Amino acid sequence: MGLANTASSQTLVWTDQTAPAVDSLCRQFQQLYTKIREESILPDSARRQFQTIMLGLRGRFRAAEPYRLDSMLRDSLVRSTAYFAFPLRAHSPDAIGGSRGEGYRDSGFDLFDYNVRGSHPAQDIFIRDRDQDCLEDGSGQPVDVLAMTAGVIVGIETDWKPGQEYRGGNWVWVYDPILDGLFYYAHNNAVLVRPGQWVQAGQKLAEVGRTGFNAYKTRSPTHLHLMFLQIQPDGLPEPVNPYEWLLAARLF
């Protein structure tokens, strides 16, 4: 099976035999997103590199029997209540910000241009943390960030410091080969996974925090920023609102 990158000036084709190893693709993703965050790569170059990486991941996983699902089987699996895990331990959809997910705004989103502002293609899920110490008020303990689905860790940030203008703080990116998309978990305090690691739905990825330029400010309640990007046939990302998935997710 071949996958073509039709947006590049030259057609790139990955086959099951020629796609780079998953670990290599994860390292490439890690390096690319760090460059995007640091604005050390032009948006058009970032798009081309992203396409190459995502088409490679798709090719690698589609070569494995468990991921060879037709659209009907995939849709049936996603509709099942067992597929998704709620991403905060001991929390429920009541913790989602706004009314019926109204905080989601995808207009103007551009993953590759860090100067683009104003969109919020994500759901924010809040903990009770009045003193802003990143601990749940009732238990006095950190709140675990859990993987919503099974997938491979493709990128992490663990070294955010107060004063830095990076908006996501300490983040985790997970590629789900069944959905063929990326989950992004941001503002974490501690990150406990590494690129190339496989995780299951409900597995701990991190602990909720206040990292990131805006999330660190006292006006911002402590929360998890959750985004999902659907990978399109050409390998580029399109945001999808995960609100209905959160409502249907298993609680841990």
Side-chain angles (χ1 to χ4, degrees), residues 2 11 40 47 56 75-76 81 96 100 105 124 126-127 129 132 142 166 169 184 198 207 212-214 237 239 241 248:
T11 300
S40 61
R47 287 185 185 92
D75 290 347
S76 175
T81 57
I96 301 171
R100 296 193 58 80
R105 303 183 307 277
D124 289 339
F126 295 85
I127 69 171
D129 180 23
Q132 299 189 342
Y166 305 143
Y184 174 70
W198 182 264
E207 293 174 355
F213 181 69
N214 290 317
N241 192 344

Side-chain angles (χ1 to χ4, degrees), residues 35-188:
K35 289 179 182 178
I36 293 170
R37 185 204 63 185
E38 294 175 344
E39 300 180 74
S40 61
I41 186 171
L42 293 174
D44 285 347
S45 295
R47 287 185 185 92
R48 289 191 293 271
Q49 289 187 30
F50 183 93
Q51 287 177 296
T52 300
I53 294 166
M54 298 316 301
L55 293 171
L57 280 170
R58 180 188 287 160
R60 269 298 171 191
F61 280 100
R62 293 284 172 86
E65 188 64 32
Y67 306 106
R68 289 184 175 179
L69 302 180
D70 61 32
S71 60
M72 185 175 298
L73 286 173
R74 186 177 297 108
D75 290 347
S76 175
L77 180 62
V78 170
R79 285 196 301 269
S80 72
T81 57
Y83 190 72
F84 297 102
F86 197 78
L88 290 189
R89 191 182 303 280
H91 287 68
S92 73
D94 292 340
I96 301 171
S99 174
R100 296 193 58 80
E102 64 187 4
Y104 181 91
R105 303 183 307 277
D106 60 6
S107 178
F109 172 74
D110 188 340
L111 179 68
F112 308 105
D113 189 343
Y114 208 74
N115 289 309
V116 173
R117 307 291 174 98
S119 67
H120 187 264
Q123 294 294 341
D124 289 339
I125 309 173
F126 295 85
I127 69 171
R128 296 180 181 88
D129 180 23
R130 287 187 295 267
D131 56 3
Q132 299 189 342
D133 61 355
C134 300
L135 304 177
E136 181 78 18
D137 287 342
S139 67
Q141 298 297 315
V143 176
D144 294 345
V145 175
L146 309 178
M148 275 200 75
T149 68
V152 63
I153 307 297
V154 293
I156 63 171
E157 174 60 63
T158 61
D159 197 33
W160 184 88
K161 295 178 176 58
Q164 292 178 331
E165 295 188 1
Y166 305 143
R167 298 192 295 275
N170 293 330
W171 36 259
V172 178
W173 283 97
V174 182
Y175 174 68
D176 176 338
I178 296 292
L179 295 181
D180 192 21
L182 292 162
F183 283 96
Y184 174 70
Y185 306 81
H187 305 323
N188 304 294

Side-chain angles (χ1 to χ4, degrees), residues 193-242:
V193 290
R194 65 187 185 280
Q197 178 181 345
W198 182 264
V199 294
Q200 300 292 343
Q203 184 172 334
K204 183 175 179 178
L205 305 174
E207 293 174 355
V208 175
R210 302 181 53 79
T211 60
F213 181 69
N214 290 317
Y216 185 72
K217 297 176 180 178
T218 56
R219 61 178 170 79
S220 177
T222 307
H223 66 279
L224 168 70
H225 177 94
L226 175 76
M227 177 172 66
F228 178 77
L229 300 179
Q230 183 67 64
I231 305 305
Q232 301 302 299
D234 63 359
L236 289 175
E238 187 73 27
V240 171
N241 192 344

